[in-house]
Amino acid sequence: MSGPATPYPVDEARPYTPGALEKALLDGFQDGFPLTERPYRAIAEKCGVSEEDVVAAIARMQEAKAISRVGAVVRPNTAGASTLAAMAVPPERLDDVAAQVNGYDQVTHNYEREHELNLWFVVTATGRDMVDNVLQDIETATGLTVLDLSLVEDYHIDLGFPLQWT
Amino acid sequence: MDVSATDRQLLAALQDGLPLTARPYADIGAAVGLDEADVIARLAALRDAGVIKRMGLVVRHHENGYRANAMVTWNVPDALVSEIGRKLAAYPFVTLCYRRTRRPPVWPYNLFCMIHGKDRTTVEAAIRTLSAESGMAAYPRQVLFSRRRFKQRGAYFGTCAPSLKEAS
């Protein structure tokens, strides 16, 4: 299993400040990333910079954790199975249980929320059987009930998030 | 479309991110035994079929100054949930909007929206905007602000895990 959970500090330093090229990339390439042999060069041509500039800007944003990756966002329950799960964890056990839940590779998101149901996490695997196994394993390991809130319908057409530059 | 085992391997190879190399699709392909043209064609087919919702930079809201997020849930009549869900999903501050299985009596709520904003006040205003949509005020609601993020990463399509093995 994993080490201790690493909670995100609430009052951490000021946010990442992107430069002009980074802003252009964040505004223009959260979707529609070129599916061509040299995608970074294709982007560079659109932005009027060099391929090296684009790669360096993306690397900087990854370094600053402004982006997690260049990747594909997969619609839930198409290439695999997933669910949202919730637990009511006694406050004194929350850090330990969060670390236990984090220990599963199939857990992609794990948040503390302000509610009696205070731990919310997403489980994604290649099939529903595996999702069920993970939920069952977490119940057994923690002795707590896991609420399985499986997806019925997705209403959001994801084009990326419009960041507001101030 | 039917997502093949090869497609899953390809998506798995992409989960850590497209390499920052001159020919990234060739490099991803090398990891799963596909040539560059095949990788590009498969990704295009997955995108066109809607399996890939979008492809590009995956933004981390928190690090970009969107420090507050709330999950807002309503108990909406099943007959209306699709119409309401589509309406709420169209707001720019709504980053996810799903219908999910109810688990009464503990959890009778079936409509879930995720809202991101620069601070809590902004998110609270966004929640008021959604709640002012016609009829929404009548439905039981829960607001769950996030307190700590323990984990956030791409999906897992791999073959092994610390304590559980994938049944293949």
Side-chain angles (χ1 to χ4, degrees):
Chain A
M1 302 297 280
S2 74
T6 48
Y8 209 90
V10 173
D11 55 350
E12 183 226 324
R14 65 192 153 70
Y16 169 70
T17 308
L21 178 55
E22 284 97 327
K23 283 183 185 176
L25 296 176
L26 288 167
D27 286 341
F29 294 97
Q30 289 185 47
D31 190 18
F33 198 84
L35 286 170
T36 54
E37 288 182 0
R38 301 193 65 162
Y40 302 111
R41 188 166 69 183
I43 291 171
E45 282 165 6
K46 283 188 186 171
C47 295
V49 296
S50 73
E51 186 176 16
E52 292 72 24
D53 291 337
V54 169
V55 167
I58 292 173
R60 276 197 301 276
M61 288 190 284
Q62 272 180 331
E63 181 77 14
K65 297 193 189 308
I67 62 170
S68 59
R69 64 193 183 280
V70 176
V73 176
V74 176
R75 187 171 295 281
N77 302 323
T78 53
S82 67
T83 199
L84 175 68
M87 298 169 89
V89 183
E92 69 277 9
R93 289 185 60 194
L94 186 57
D95 284 4
D96 290 341
V97 172
Q100 274 179 291
V101 169
N102 270 10
Y104 293 85
D105 275 355
Q106 293 88 350
V107 171
T108 57
H109 297 74
N110 186 17
Y111 281 82
E112 179 188 0
R113 295 196 175 276
E114 296 174 1
H115 196 272
E116 189 189 344
L117 287 163
N118 53 357
L119 193 64
W120 290 76
F121 54 96
V122 175
V123 178
T124 302
T126 50
R128 182 66 221 192
D129 288 358
M130 191 61 192
V131 172
D132 290 340
N133 287 349
V134 170
L135 298 183
Q136 183 61 55
D137 208 64
I138 290 171
E139 283 202 332
T140 305
T142 62
L144 298 167
T145 301
V146 175
L147 218 52
D148 174 8
L149 303 166
S150 54
L151 187 145
V152 179
E153 199 177 356
D154 181 357
Y155 302 116
H156 189 247
I157 298 160
D158 192 352
L159 304 173
F161 186 68
L163 296 166
Q164 287 171 4
W165 311 116
T166 52
Chain B
M1 74 180 278
D2 285 336
V3 178
S4 69
T6 308
D7 292 330
R8 286 204 185 86
Q9 283 183 313
L10 179 56
L11 291 169
L14 258 181
Q15 280 311 313
D16 290 331
L18 192 70
L20 297 177
T21 55
R23 306 284 289 269
Y25 299 114
D27 295 334
I28 282 279
V32 295
L34 295 171
D35 67 28
E36 184 180 42
D38 209 9
V39 169
I40 290 171
R42 280 173 185 269
L43 289 176
L46 290 166
R47 183 196 56 199
D48 293 346
V51 173
I52 293 176
K53 285 175 100 169
R54 67 182 168 88
M55 170 127 186
L57 306 182
V58 180
V59 164
R60 291 168 70 96
H61 295 99
H62 191 104
E63 286 75 4
N64 281 287
Y66 289 74
R67 294 304 176 91
N69 83 77
M71 188 176 76
V72 189
T73 66
W74 287 269
N75 178 352
V76 169
D78 288 343
L80 299 175
V81 64
S82 294
E83 181 194 335
I84 293 170
R86 288 194 191 90
K87 194 158 41 175
L88 300 190
Y91 282 92
F93 47 73
V94 172
T95 49
L96 289 171
C97 185
Y98 295 129
R99 178 182 177 185
R100 294 189 175 278
T101 311
R102 309 168 190 272
R103 297 290 176 195
V106 178
W107 194 260
Y109 309 95
N110 59 338
L111 181 61
F112 290 64
C113 281
M114 192 67 68
I115 299 172
H116 281 86
K118 293 198 172 180
D119 52 42
R120 191 177 181 113
T121 309
T122 311
V123 174
E124 285 168 346
I127 295 168
R128 282 196 298 276
T129 301
L130 295 185
S131 301
E133 275 281 352
S134 60
M136 292 307 289
Y139 304 128
R141 186 188 79 181
Q142 293 281 322
V143 175
L144 298 93
F145 273 93
S146 79
R147 192 172 282 149
R148 284 185 290 173
R149 177 178 65 186
F150 294 114
K151 191 174 190 180
Q152 179 193 23
R153 67 167 189 78
Y156 173 73
F157 300 107
T159 53
C160 61
S163 60
L164 287 170
K165 299 287 181 194
E166 284 274 344
S168 56

